[in-house]
């Protein structure tokens, strides 16, 4: 097996992308298993992964999803800012631990954020006092997430087949009932959030359980849809640096049909139904601006019951999946991956 590293340590080459693709599907696979799959020595895999993680553009994520467990409220905010205060407000919101994502896009001078709160009282306080009281904030529009259909886990530009949850969305079928999760499962999820590749022996010691018990619990969690453990790479790393956000106003009689058709679009990496007249929100990632334009023309033009479409280009992302995003993506852009999505509608 070859044991070479790329000459430019800040870039991502073909072997790097192969490692990312493999570990995205099997995040706890050994370096030897990854090396056998991609044709590299296990020490080379370890060095390459360490370098990629060091850029901040690649990281492991482990989390229980409250939307599927029926815990807490997920709210989408559009925070209108005074001129000159956009960056300040975006950074302040991104610094909060209850914020999942923060970005700014073309269009109105607003900060877009997804946040998690415990209940309606906490949501009111968040909007009226906490964020509403920030210097530079002029107005806030909020929408509650009612249905989660697709997450970034379901965006697989390197995969030839849709994920399980995308397949269900394509078929118009809701997620299965959530599995019961106890305090030990939650502690296990927290430990994996600290170190997604923590050895089974270490997990067993921290949980004061036998290794076989921990392995059984972990396998059960990872087989469910309520727990996400994955290797995450910024879209630009995977050759999709152009990111867009869209909101649709869809008549309820046509909503399910529209969602099924949108789920077939492999460019969409996040799709939810929200409260409000603009009731569908999604994000997409593309190799070029031309690809984004073609996606918009294809995905939205044939949807029955759509009364309004709003699209915007993301100009900067401050936080994604609960973690800050480093600015300046160009030095980390990788060559586009081959298109292997036969399930994308023609």
């Amino acid at each position: 097996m070859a044991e070479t590293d790329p000459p430019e340590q800040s870039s991502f080459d073909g072997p790097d992308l192969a490692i990312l693709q493999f570990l995205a599907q099997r995040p706890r696979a050994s370096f030897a298993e990854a090396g056998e799959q991609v044709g590299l020595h296990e020490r080379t895999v370890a060095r390459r992964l360490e370098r990629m993680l060091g850029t901040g553009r690649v990281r492991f994520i482990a989390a229980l999803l409250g939307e599927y467990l029926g815990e807490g409220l997920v709210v989408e905010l559009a925070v209108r800012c005074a001129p000159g205060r956009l960056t300040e407000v975006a950074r302040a919101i991104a610094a909060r631990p209850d914020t999942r994502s923060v970005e700014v896009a073309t269009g109105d001078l607003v900060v877009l954020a997804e946040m998690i709160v415990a209940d309606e009282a906490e949501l009111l306080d968040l909007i009226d006092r906490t964020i509403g009281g920030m210097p530079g904030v002029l107005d806030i529009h909020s929408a509650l997430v009612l249905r989660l259909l697709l997450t970034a886990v379901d965006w697989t530009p390197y995969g030839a087949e849709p994920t399980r949850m995308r397949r269900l969305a394509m078929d118009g079928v809701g997620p299965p009932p959530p599995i019961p999760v106890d305090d030990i499962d939650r502690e296990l999820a927290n430990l994996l959030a600290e170190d997604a590749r923590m050895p089974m022996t270490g997990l067993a010691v921290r949980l004061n359980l036998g290794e076989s018990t921990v392995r059984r619990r972990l396998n059960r969690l990872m087989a469910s849809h309520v727990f996400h453990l994955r290797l995450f790479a910024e879209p630009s790393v995977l050759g999709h640096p152009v990111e867009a956000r869209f909101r649709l106003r869809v008549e309820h009689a046509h909503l399910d049909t529209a969602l099924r058709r949108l789920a077939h679009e492999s460019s969409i990496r996040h799709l939810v139904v929200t409260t409000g007249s603009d009731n569908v929100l999604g994000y997409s990632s593309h190799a070029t601006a031309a690809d984004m334009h073609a996606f918009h023309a294809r995905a939205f033009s044939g949807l029955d019951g759509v009364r309004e479409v709003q699209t915007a280009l993301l100009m900067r992302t401050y936080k994604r999946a609960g973690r800050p995003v480093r600015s300046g993506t160009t030095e980390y852009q990788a060559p586009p991956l081959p298109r292997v999505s036969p399930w994308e509608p023609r």
Side-chain angles (χ1 to χ4, degrees):
M1 294 184 181
E3 190 170 350
T4 58
D5 290 316
E8 295 183 14
Q9 297 301 298
S10 62
S11 63
F12 291 78
D13 61 8
D16 286 337
L17 296 179
I19 293 169
L20 291 178
Q21 293 172 25
F22 178 75
L23 291 178
Q25 303 299 319
R26 298 183 57 191
R28 288 181 57 82
S30 69
F31 293 136
E33 291 172 319
E36 182 178 358
Q37 179 70 25
V38 303
L40 295 172
H41 192 278
E42 61 183 284
R43 290 193 297 270
T44 302
V45 172
R47 286 200 304 269
R48 283 175 173 265
L49 180 60
E50 182 180 7
R51 172 178 49 77
M52 289 188 285
L53 293 171
T55 68
R57 309 296 293 170
V58 173
R59 52 193 166 89
F60 287 97
I61 293 177
L64 290 164
L65 272 67
E67 296 99 317
Y68 289 140
L69 289 171
E71 299 174 351
L73 303 174
V74 178
V75 60
E76 302 285 345
L77 299 181
V79 183
R80 189 163 65 90
C81 304
R85 308 302 288 270
L86 187 70
T87 298
E88 174 188 345
V89 172
R91 287 174 173 168
I93 296 176
R96 294 182 55 85
D98 52 0
T99 304
R100 276 187 181 170
S101 65
V102 177
E103 65 261 336
V104 295
T106 55
D108 296 334
L109 195 65
V110 298
V111 174
L112 305 167
E114 182 180 83
M115 306 187 71
I116 308 172
V117 295
D119 50 33
E120 292 82 355
E122 187 174 316
L123 175 59
L124 179 61
D125 185 73
L126 176 75
I127 295 174
D128 187 44
R129 298 178 57 188
T130 307
I131 295 182
M134 287 182 178
V137 171
L138 300 179
D139 191 19
I140 302 176
H141 178 271
S142 61
L144 196 66
V145 173
L146 301 176
R147 289 172 60 188
L148 173 63
L149 288 94
L150 301 176
T151 72
V153 170
D154 302 300
W155 182 65
T156 54
Y158 42 76
E161 293 293 332
T163 63
R164 175 193 181 198
M165 296 305 293
R166 187 182 286 271
R167 175 62 71 184
L168 291 177
M170 291 163 61
D171 295 338
V173 179
I179 63 171
V181 175
D182 60 20
D183 290 341
I184 296 177
D185 292 325
R186 295 181 190 278
E187 181 60 23
L188 175 57
N190 290 335
L191 291 174
L192 292 168
E194 296 176 11
D195 180 2
R197 293 176 59 82
M198 184 181 296
M200 200 65 66
T201 53
L203 293 171
V205 169
R206 296 284 295 274
L207 293 171
N208 196 26
L209 294 172
E211 286 189 40
S212 60
T213 301
V214 175
R215 183 175 291 105
R216 185 170 59 252
R217 282 180 173 267
L218 178 56
N219 290 339
R220 172 176 169 271
L221 282 177
M222 293 190 66
S224 74
H225 65 295
V226 304
F227 178 68
H228 285 176
L229 173 60
R230 61 191 174 97
L231 179 62
F232 172 84
E234 290 293 321
S236 60
V237 168
L238 300 177
H240 292 70
V242 180
E243 300 185 69
R245 184 182 194 264
F246 60 86
R247 288 202 68 97
L248 309 179
R249 181 176 300 180
V250 185
E251 294 178 356
H252 284 280
H254 298 279
L255 182 59
D256 286 342
T257 300
L259 293 172
R260 287 199 300 271
R261 288 196 56 182
L262 291 172
H264 279 81
E265 293 288 345
S266 58
S267 297
I268 295 179
R269 59 178 172 80
H270 187 74
L271 186 65
V272 297
V273 176
T274 71
T275 58
S277 56
D278 297 334
N279 51 352
V280 176
L281 169 66
Y283 288 82
S284 60
S285 297
H286 312 273
T288 66
D291 287 344
M292 182 184 72
H293 176 70
F295 160 75
H296 287 165
R298 180 183 65 248
F300 306 141
S301 61
L303 292 180
D304 294 331
V306 175
R307 291 292 172 257
E308 185 176 353
V309 178
Q310 301 177 31
T311 62
L313 175 71
L314 295 193
M315 296 185 292
R316 181 171 179 183
T317 299
Y318 291 83
K319 195 173 191 179
R320 198 198 305 268
R323 295 283 189 88
V325 174
R326 291 187 183 180
S327 61
T329 61
T330 54
E331 64 177 304
Y332 303 116
Q333 289 181 9
L337 295 172
R339 294 179 64 85
V340 284
S341 299
W343 46 274
E344 183 175 340
R346 295 293 187 262

